[in-house]
Amino acid sequence: MVLVMKLLFLTCLWPTAVLHSFQSQHHHLHHRQQFLFLTKHNSKQIKMRKLDSTKVQPLKSEQLLHIEDHDFALRPGFGGSPIPVGIDVQVESIDSISEVDMDFTMTLYLRHYWKDERLSFYSNKNKSMTFDGRLIKKIWVPDVFFVHSKRSFIHDTTVENIMLRVYPDGNVLFSLRITVSAMCFMDFSRFPLDTQNCSLQLESYAYNEDDLMLYWKHGNKSLNTDEHISLSQFFIEEFSASSGLAFYSSTGWYNRLFINFALRRHIFFFVLQSYFPAMLMVMLSWVSFWIDRRAVPARVSLGITTVLTMSTIMTGVSASMPQVSYIKAVDVYLWISFLFVFLSVIEYAAVNYLTTIEERKQLKKRGKVSGTYSIDTVQAMAFDGCFHDTDVDMDLTDFSDQCEEHETRPRAASVSDVDTTQIKRKRSLKGNVGRIILQNNHVIDTYSRIIFPSVYIVFNFFYWGLYI
């Protein structure tokens, strides 16, 4: 009976044991699969780490510099004395100078020097470590900006031109290659005989003098320039470094550094484009004084041409300059030259008017208003080659007699007599035309030939002596 009960008990427990055994086997199988999966995954990660060595180095450098152990949002020595930040600059080039926009563009290397003990590390050989721009975002760097800058950028070809060098004692060198366009307050009162003084100003944006002390690292030697810097219109006279303080009513006093440079303009271009053409136009207007006062078309067209040419020269110079409210040196010269040209036109108008009045009075006085002499003297250019002028000296009586004889001679004269008379008249004209022209000019023309050149020479003497 007892045996039967044991058999029944075993029969009831057998399915449970079998099920428990099956579950335990399945559980072991699952754990084995997970182990194999993790083993494969870890082996893949190890292989990837071996292949990508660039991602291992930043972790080592950050651990060596203890970046994760400090709060680099605060400046070094926060709460204590201001941190000194030294600056030195190497000017690579001055790319452009714009008179219209009153600005300049400069490319330079900007270097910062400071000490951050939080970045100190142990080194057996006392060697520094150099990094690119990826580490800049994780540590504290000075927030230097350019005052009065219009636009600027850090060069990024082929990568960002940023260098960070950390020394074992915590000294840091931070270098950038920057192109910046900044304002230059120019004075054009002596243009184009001027010298412009421009400056590029550096200052901390957030930290005033209580937190950051900005200074030139090597004094006057902190500013270096490339020997091959040259500009098309300017000669660079000097580069100098200086420092000062700037006050803002809401935030206080800030240290400010200045990069000063003086630019002297090359004048030869403006001599060829403005001064020399203006001189030629003024001298060309004097030719009018040597032309017969009866040659109205010649003298008027010459005067108008010189006036319009001077206006074109003045317009071209003004188009390339800013619209300033004061008079420039080139404006003085061009306006005085324009005045000389304009006065030469007015001079002929006066000569023509006075000549007309004078000759009409003489004609009325002598009563020569009929017959052959009814033609106005101003228009009598003597189609036969004779000048009908009442001012001609008595020395020309032979010449006038020949003309009158030729006019009154009978048409029936022989061909030989006519030819002989024409030959005599031509010889007489050749010998006396210069004397006739000289005596046929008004007294105003005579004085103008001397006064205009003399006054213009005196003006040039004072002008170049004052501005050069």
Side-chain angles (χ1 to χ4, degrees), residues 292-297 348 352 355-356 359-360 363 368 370-392 399-400 403 407 429 436-437 440:
D292 192 341
R293 57 180 171 174
R294 291 192 181 93
V296 178
Y348 177 64
N352 186 274
T355 300
T356 302
E359 292 187 348
R360 283 179 179 176
L363 287 175
K368 298 179 179 180
S370 61
T372 307
Y373 300 99
S374 61
I375 302 177
D376 193 1
T377 308
V378 179
Q379 300 176 350
M381 285 300 292
F383 298 106
D384 59 349
C386 301
F387 286 84
H388 300 275
D389 193 351
T390 56
D391 295 334
V392 178
F399 174 70
S400 300
C403 295
E407 292 175 352
L429 279 174
I436 292 171
I437 292 176
N440 197 36

Side-chain angles (χ1 to χ4, degrees), residues 174-401:
F174 175 41
S175 178
L176 303 166
R177 182 169 177 256
I178 303 175
T179 294
V180 56
S181 297
M183 294 178 60
C184 179
F185 301 98
M186 302 181 182
D187 181 17
F188 297 105
S189 58
R190 299 176 64 88
F191 176 88
L193 309 171
D194 56 336
T195 299
Q196 301 297 340
N197 296 306
C198 300
S199 66
L200 184 63
Q201 305 172 19
L202 295 84
E203 183 182 308
S204 173
Y205 189 83
Y207 300 98
N208 57 23
E209 64 174 354
D210 296 330
D211 290 319
L212 189 147
M213 184 180 67
L214 208 62
Y215 69 100
W216 289 110
K217 177 67 175 177
H218 305 291
N220 293 330
K221 297 181 180 180
S222 301
L223 181 60
N224 301 311
T225 59
D226 196 333
E227 297 179 355
H228 303 289
I229 293 180
S230 62
L231 296 170
S232 58
Q233 290 191 23
F234 291 93
F235 172 76
I236 302 175
E237 289 189 337
E238 64 175 350
F239 270 99
S240 63
S242 61
S243 60
L245 291 174
F247 176 74
Y248 299 92
S249 59
S250 57
T251 54
W253 292 90
Y254 291 80
N255 295 112
R256 181 176 292 185
L257 303 181
F258 299 86
I259 302 173
N260 306 308
F261 54 97
L263 303 172
R264 181 167 53 86
R265 196 182 303 273
H266 295 301
I267 192 178
F268 187 70
F269 171 80
F270 296 94
V271 169
L272 293 180
Q273 297 295 323
S274 302
Y275 287 96
F276 189 65
M279 290 181 185
L280 290 181
M281 289 302 104
V282 173
M283 290 187 287
L284 184 62
S285 67
W286 300 340
V287 177
S288 174
F289 306 147
W290 298 87
I291 299 177
D292 192 341
R293 57 180 171 174
R294 291 192 181 93
V296 178
R299 295 190 66 163
V300 171
S301 61
L302 180 60
I304 297 300
T305 300
T306 53
V307 168
L308 293 178
T309 304
M310 282 299 306
S311 300
T312 304
I313 295 173
M314 295 170 64
T315 303
V317 173
S318 300
S320 60
M321 291 296 301
Q323 305 300 319
V324 295
S325 59
Y326 49 85
I327 298 176
K328 303 181 289 293
V330 67
D331 294 333
V332 174
Y333 194 90
L334 293 180
W335 276 104
I336 295 296
S337 300
F338 182 83
L339 180 63
F340 272 89
V341 173
F342 179 75
L343 289 177
S344 67
V345 179
I346 300 301
E347 185 269 349
Y348 177 64
V351 168
N352 186 274
Y353 178 74
L354 295 177
T355 300
T356 302
I357 293 177
E358 179 182 353
E359 292 187 348
R360 283 179 179 176
K361 287 181 180 180
Q362 291 180 357
L363 287 175
K364 288 180 180 179
K365 183 178 180 180
R366 297 183 182 183
K368 298 179 179 180
V369 293
S370 61
T372 307
Y373 300 99
S374 61
I375 302 177
D376 193 1
T377 308
V378 179
Q379 300 176 350
M381 285 300 292
F383 298 106
D384 59 349
C386 301
F387 286 84
H388 300 275
D389 193 351
T390 56
D391 295 334
V392 178
D393 292 341
M394 295 305 295
D395 296 336
L396 300 177
T397 52
D398 296 337
F399 174 70
S400 300
D401 292 342

Side-chain angles (χ1 to χ4, degrees), residues 28-66:
H28 286 296
L29 181 61
H30 178 70
H31 278 285
R32 185 177 181 182
Q33 290 178 349
Q34 286 185 345
F35 177 75
L36 292 174
F37 175 77
L38 291 175
T39 304
K40 291 180 180 179
H41 181 70
N42 291 334
S43 62
K44 288 182 179 179
Q45 287 186 344
I46 293 172
K47 289 180 180 180
M48 291 178 65
R49 288 180 181 177
K50 289 182 178 179
L51 292 175
D52 190 3
S53 60
T54 59
K55 294 185 178 180
V56 178
Q57 186 61 28
L59 293 176
K60 290 184 178 180
S61 63
E62 291 178 11
Q63 291 175 1
L64 183 62
L65 296 176
H66 306 287

